[in-house]
């Protein structure tokens, strides 16, 4: 049995949110600080990105672009009468509207993400990152939606109202459902095919996952996605998915069988470490080759501190 088999999963369900109120405040503080990063389109894609092109709309509230000859069917409200008085010809005002990209937060809530050996579950850190990017997007006035991968893909459409944003925050923080057979859950692969059909070009797509089921066959879908969108991948792993404990008997488990290991065995720990390093490097290589921005995080990392701790 491969040492990549997931560790035993918890058999309980907590009613507490994945991110508590104090942590939520710290994340908001970090995202709205003057030094916080921005979600930007950093490279060109084959199609024009929303936010990198200007489309002409006649309407108030847009930036004036030019006077253009009046055509049949144009809105008479935007006739430039000053130009008519000066030239005797009909012109209308044209305006530029900059279209901003939508942000889509894709949160893997599969059973392997509901696992953690130190401090927090992998899913809890993924939610922290998603909330951070949501607050950054708000600061940039970008509409944000989300896709939660449980037994099915739960699409939360982008909305501008404060009530909609608060509802999205609540759904992101929602605790794990009871872990179920991974075969019955909606996989990332199935979603990738839908994204190409349902997202308009030029979105910022951020995927938070352990990518436990990523395969080489998925790269075509990811590459096609990254050609039309800015794709950021955030790889979340537990420390026990890097190194075994120094001692003790532990049991790995999957759906069919189990494996007990003696962690005091130095050779076994070294073999496991090398195996997992190769596995994670393969995932990183695949995602980067597909044109995705890649970052890896340990689930117990402290990424955000409370505002009271800034001076300490």
């Amino acid at each position: 049995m491969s040492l990549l088999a997931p560790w035993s999963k918890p058999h309980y369900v907590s009613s507490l949110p994945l991110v508590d109120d104090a942590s939520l405040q710290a994340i908001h503080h970090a995202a709205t600080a003057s030094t916080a990063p921005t979600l930007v389109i950093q490279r060109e894609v084959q199609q024009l990105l929303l936010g990198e092109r200007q489309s002409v709309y006649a309407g108030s509230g847009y930036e004036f672009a030019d006077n253009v000859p009046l055509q049949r069917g144009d809105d008479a409200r935007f006739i430039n009468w000053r130009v008519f008085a000066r030239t005797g010809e009909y012109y209308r005002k044209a305006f530029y509207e900059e279209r901003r990209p939508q942000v889509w937060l894709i949160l893997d809530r599969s059973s392997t993400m509901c696992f953690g050996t130190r401090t927090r579950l992998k899913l809890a850190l993924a939610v922290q990152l998603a909330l951070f990017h949501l607050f950054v997007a708000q600061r940039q006035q970008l509409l944000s939606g989300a896709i939660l991968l449980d037994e099915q893909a739960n699409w939360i459409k982008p909305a501008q109202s404060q009530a909609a944003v608060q509802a999205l925050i609540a759904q992101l923080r929602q605790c794990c459902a009871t872990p179920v057979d991974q075969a019955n859950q909606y996989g990332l692969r199935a979603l990738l095919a839908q994204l190409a059909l349902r997202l308009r070009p030029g979105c910022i797509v951020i995927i938070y996952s352990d990518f436990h089921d990523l395969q080489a066959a998925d790269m075509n879908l990811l590459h096609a996605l990254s050609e039309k969108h800015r794709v950021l991948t955030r790889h979340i792993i537990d420390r026990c998915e890097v190194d075994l404990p120094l001692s003790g008997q532990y049991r790995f488990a999957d759906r069919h069988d189990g494996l007990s290991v003696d962690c005091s065995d130095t050779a076994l720990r070294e073999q496991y470490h090398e195996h997992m390093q190769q596995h994670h490097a393969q995932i990183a290589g695949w995602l980067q080759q597909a044109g995705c921005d890649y970052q890896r995080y340990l689930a117990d990392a402290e990424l955000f501190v409370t505002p009271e701790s800034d001076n300490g």
Side-chain angles (χ1 to χ4, degrees):
M1 179 178 179
S2 170
L3 288 177
L4 294 178
W7 287 61
S8 297
K9 305 173 185 67
H11 298 286
Y12 61 88
V13 178
S14 172
S15 60
L16 297 175
L18 289 165
V19 175
D20 59 29
D21 292 341
S23 297
L24 183 66
Q25 180 186 5
I27 295 168
H28 184 270
H29 178 76
T32 55
S34 59
T35 55
T38 56
L39 294 172
V40 294
I41 305 298
Q42 296 179 346
R43 62 182 180 83
E44 294 183 356
V45 294
Q46 290 184 356
Q47 299 191 28
L48 286 175
L49 294 173
L50 303 174
E52 287 188 345
R53 67 183 179 186
Q54 289 180 318
S55 56
V56 178
Y57 284 82
S60 59
Y62 300 104
E63 182 181 355
F64 175 76
D66 198 3
N67 291 302
V68 297
L70 188 68
Q71 303 291 330
R72 183 181 297 274
D74 285 347
D75 194 330
R77 291 179 300 170
F78 299 103
I79 294 174
N80 192 327
W81 294 108
R82 291 184 178 181
V83 174
F84 175 77
R86 187 171 63 251
T87 66
E89 298 181 359
Y90 288 99
Y91 283 80
R92 66 169 176 84
K93 299 176 182 178
F95 301 85
Y96 284 138
E97 176 199 21
E98 183 181 2
R99 291 186 174 182
R100 295 173 177 269
Q102 290 183 344
V103 178
W104 283 93
L105 312 172
I106 301 177
L107 187 63
D108 183 355
R109 292 173 53 91
S110 61
S111 56
T112 60
M113 288 291 287
C114 297
F115 168 78
T117 60
R118 302 183 187 180
T119 310
R120 65 177 66 88
L121 303 177
K122 290 188 287 185
L123 179 58
L125 184 72
V127 172
Q128 287 191 11
L129 291 170
L131 289 168
F132 176 79
H133 288 134
L134 174 60
F135 292 140
V136 170
Q138 278 190 293
R139 191 188 74 199
Q140 294 179 239
Q141 299 181 347
L142 304 178
L143 287 180
S144 299
I147 307 172
L148 310 182
L149 298 180
D150 289 296
E151 289 80 3
Q152 59 184 359
N154 178 20
W155 288 68
I156 305 171
K157 294 181 180 180
Q160 201 164 16
S161 70
Q162 189 62 28
V165 173
Q166 290 302 318
L168 175 55
I169 293 172
Q171 288 182 279
L172 290 173
R173 296 172 67 192
Q174 186 176 4
C175 63
C176 289
T178 304
V180 297
D181 190 328
Q182 183 63 34
N184 294 330
Q185 291 185 318
Y186 195 96
L188 184 61
R189 183 184 309 169
L191 177 65
L192 291 175
Q194 284 196 21
L195 291 175
L197 299 175
R198 296 185 60 171
L199 298 187
R200 64 185 187 184
C203 293
I204 300 174
V205 179
I206 314 177
I207 305 174
Y208 314 89
S209 177
D210 56 9
F211 298 101
H212 72 280
D213 58 349
L214 190 69
Q215 299 181 15
D218 303 328
M219 292 308 100
N220 288 337
L221 291 171
L222 271 171
H223 188 267
L225 187 68
S226 67
E227 285 185 328
K228 295 183 179 180
H229 309 279
R230 171 73 171 159
V231 181
L232 290 73
T233 54
R234 299 301 179 251
H235 186 193
I236 316 296
I237 60 175
D238 187 83
R239 286 192 183 272
C240 279
E241 295 171 324
V242 179
D243 290 299
L244 291 173
L246 296 178
S247 63
Q249 293 282 342
Y250 290 85
R251 180 178 178 83
F252 291 81
D254 64 11
R255 298 191 305 271
H256 310 293
D257 198 357
L259 174 68
S260 295
V261 297
D262 180 5
C263 293
S264 61
D265 186 334
T266 303
L268 177 62
R269 292 201 312 272
E270 292 177 353
Q271 177 190 2
Y272 178 86
H273 176 78
E274 181 179 356
H275 192 79
M276 297 306 287
Q277 288 286 86
Q278 292 175 356
H279 175 62
H280 295 147
Q282 183 179 57
I283 290 176
W286 280 343
L287 293 172
Q288 290 170 337
Q289 289 170 20
C292 303
D293 178 274
Y294 174 86
Q295 290 183 22
R296 192 180 81 172
Y297 296 88
L298 289 172
D300 61 329
E302 294 296 338
L303 303 180
F304 309 102
V305 296
T306 59
E308 292 78 12
S309 301
D310 289 347
N311 298 325

